[in-house]
Amino acid sequence: MLGKPYNCKVATTMDMIVGKWKIAILLNLLHNGTMRFNELQKMMPGVTQKMLTSHLRELEQEGVIKRVTYPQVPPKVEYSMTEYGKTLQTVLEMMHEWGASHLAKKQQQ
Amino acid sequence: MLGKPYNCKVATTMDMIVGKWKIAILLNLLHNGTMRFNELQKMMPGVTQKMLTSHLRELEQEGVIKRVTYPQVPPKVEYSMTEYGKTLQTVLEMMHEWGASHLAKKQQQ
DNA sequence: CAGGATCCGATTGGATACTG
DNA sequence: CAGTATCCAATCGGATCCTG
């Protein structure tokens, strides 16, 4: 977790989404609704079980995603955004647009 | 609507603002306009010269801040947002608001 | 299937000393 | 004043093996 050297709420949002695969997780869940661990992993080529697990745990702990386990063999675990977590979508959309325009600008040069 | 999760520009924006002191730099420049290296350092207690320098270089290279040196002794260097860099403000404001509401929510519990 | 545990390399950031 | 350069500690993420 990053330290917070300054007293601003931007850092709070940063902490939520910083991590190599966190944005991918959030975008996948926002786009696809409920997904199993397995499905998430397939949508994110290169992610390891360890990283996927730890990122999911952190997002769950912050209340933005929901984890539901079905007591069966083999196990089934489903992840989805909480209603609260869905409020992140606006932020991510704005970041998406800025990123797109930034890439467009670099293309020009 | 968001783009496809596997081809998404959110990461581009992330790359721009990830770094322990980058948000602090951007917020200070957006708020205060032109600032000298020295002034920035005073506004960010704990930052080292090394980190401040390297973050400033990266932001400059991406075209969001402008660096002006005055050839005099002792040296004088001024930093400010470029017009382009100022477009980041909307994104940062949205992140600020989400962060504030997130902290408020955690307070309730 | 969905992880936990462990080890390790890579990256990030801090401390300190020096300089035009 | 505004940096460089070097070394070092902490954190992050990847690889691998194991399990109910």
Side-chain angles (χ1 to χ4, degrees):
Chain A
M1 192 74 87
L2 291 171
K4 291 177 197 167
Y6 34 95
N7 182 24
C8 183
K9 311 304 183 298
V10 181
T12 304
T13 305
M14 282 298 287
D15 288 346
M16 187 71 62
I17 60 182
V18 161
K20 185 162 179 181
W21 308 92
K22 275 190 189 169
I23 302 248
I25 292 173
L26 294 172
L27 293 177
N28 269 291
L29 291 180
L30 285 169
H31 188 254
N32 299 324
T34 299
M35 296 180 77
R36 297 181 62 165
F37 185 88
N38 204 349
E39 295 174 312
L40 274 169
Q41 199 170 11
K42 278 175 190 156
M43 294 297 289
M44 300 161 56
V47 72
T48 61
Q49 289 177 328
K50 175 192 164 188
M51 288 314 297
L52 186 51
T53 301
S54 74
H55 280 165
L56 287 168
R57 290 289 175 283
E58 290 173 22
L59 292 170
E60 184 194 3
Q61 191 150 8
E62 294 294 342
V64 299
I65 71 172
K66 187 170 41 185
R67 178 175 181 265
V68 179
T69 66
Y70 297 87
Q72 61 189 40
V73 179
K76 176 180 171 184
V77 181
E78 285 182 343
Y79 294 93
S80 59
M81 300 299 286
T82 59
E83 285 308 309
Y84 175 62
K86 289 177 186 171
T87 61
L88 263 174
Q89 180 156 359
T90 318
V91 180
L92 295 177
E93 279 171 2
M94 178 149 291
M95 292 179 70
H96 174 83
E97 286 177 30
W98 195 91
S101 74
H102 181 68
L103 290 178
K105 186 202 171 219
K106 294 187 83 169
Q107 286 289 331
Q108 290 174 9
Q109 297 161 353
Chain B
M1 192 51 190
L2 292 169
K4 297 282 187 180
Y6 44 82
N7 180 25
C8 189
K9 313 301 184 299
V10 182
T12 303
T13 304
M14 282 297 288
D15 288 346
M16 186 70 63
I17 60 181
V18 162
K20 186 162 179 181
W21 308 91
K22 275 191 191 170
I23 302 244
I25 292 172
L26 295 172
L27 293 178
N28 269 291
L29 291 180
L30 284 169
H31 187 256
N32 299 323
T34 299
M35 295 179 77
R36 297 181 62 166
F37 185 90
N38 204 349
E39 294 175 314
L40 274 168
Q41 199 171 10
K42 278 176 189 154
M43 293 298 286
M44 300 160 58
V47 73
T48 61
Q49 289 177 328
K50 174 191 165 187
M51 289 312 298
L52 186 50
T53 301
S54 75
H55 280 165
L56 287 169
R57 290 290 176 282
E58 289 173 24
L59 292 170
E60 184 193 3
Q61 190 150 11
E62 294 294 342
V64 299
I65 71 174
K66 186 170 41 184
R67 178 175 180 265
V68 179
T69 64
Y70 296 87
Q72 61 188 41
V73 179
K76 175 178 171 183
V77 181
E78 285 182 343
Y79 293 93
S80 59
M81 301 298 287
T82 59
E83 285 309 308
Y84 175 63
K86 289 177 186 170
T87 62
L88 264 174
Q89 180 155 3
T90 318
V91 179
L92 295 176
E93 278 171 3
M94 178 150 290
M95 292 179 70
H96 176 83
E97 285 177 31
W98 195 91
S101 75
H102 180 69
L103 289 178
K105 186 200 171 220
K106 294 187 84 170
Q107 286 288 333
Q108 290 175 10
Q109 296 160 355

